Amino acid sequence: QVQLAESGGGSVQAGGSLRLSCAASESTYSSYCMGWFRQAPGKEREGVASIDSDGYTNYAESVKGRFTISKDNGKKTLYLQMNSLKPEDTAMYYCAASSLRCRPSTWFWQSEYNDWGQGTQVTVSS
């Protein structure tokens, strides 16, 4: 089981940037599909981005061109660089790890992921 801990959330004005981090407890995390999800109040949790062990990435349409997922295997850390933030990006952001490879058709399914962090809040004001 992989322990995950997110950090980097906060409050920012529209148009601003934040970088989220997710520290993993296991060095073997580099072989997992890693993902970022978010959940706004009253809404379903949704997939934001994923990255596979070979660096292949997937993004939700709503964040393409604004968000970048990356990872540092040496530091066992996953990142989400968020630029040009919008009020609709306001949500609790979670990182997740899967023992499966990311698949383009299912990377955004919560059921694909085994381990989850506690989340970090992102608030974007207009």
Side-chain angles (χ1 to χ4, degrees):
Q1 186 176 7
V2 180
Q3 305 295 323
L4 303 169
E6 303 95 336
S7 61
S11 296
V12 64
Q13 289 191 325
S17 299
L18 284 173
R19 188 176 81 156
L20 306 184
S21 300
C22 173
S25 63
E26 294 286 337
S27 61
T28 54
Y29 102 104
S30 61
S31 64
Y32 292 19
C33 172
M34 303 288 294
W36 284 101
F37 286 74
R38 66 185 181 185
Q39 188 168 19
K43 294 189 176 181
E44 297 286 323
R45 190 174 296 188
E46 63 176 357
V48 174
S50 71
I51 186 166
D52 212 329
S53 55
D54 57 5
Y56 186 82
T57 58
N58 295 286
Y59 292 94
E61 285 296 324
S62 60
V63 306
K64 277 184 179 178
R66 300 188 298 122
F67 290 11
T68 303
I69 189 171
S70 62
K71 60 180 183 174
D72 184 327
N73 291 337
K75 295 182 179 180
K76 297 183 290 183
T77 301
L78 178 73
Y79 301 101
L80 185 69
Q81 178 66 44
M82 305 186 295
N83 298 328
S84 301
L85 282 162
K86 304 176 181 180
E88 52 263 43
D89 295 318
T90 295
M92 186 71 79
Y93 284 71
Y94 301 89
C95 67
S98 171
S99 57
L100 305 173
R101 289 189 64 91
C102 297
R103 292 180 288 179
S105 60
T106 61
W107 68 268
F108 46 89
W109 290 1
Q110 296 180 59
S111 58
E112 294 283 286
Y113 298 84
N114 312 102
D115 302 293
W116 293 81
Q118 294 298 308
T120 186
Q121 178 68 38
V122 172
T123 302
V124 184
S125 58
S126 57

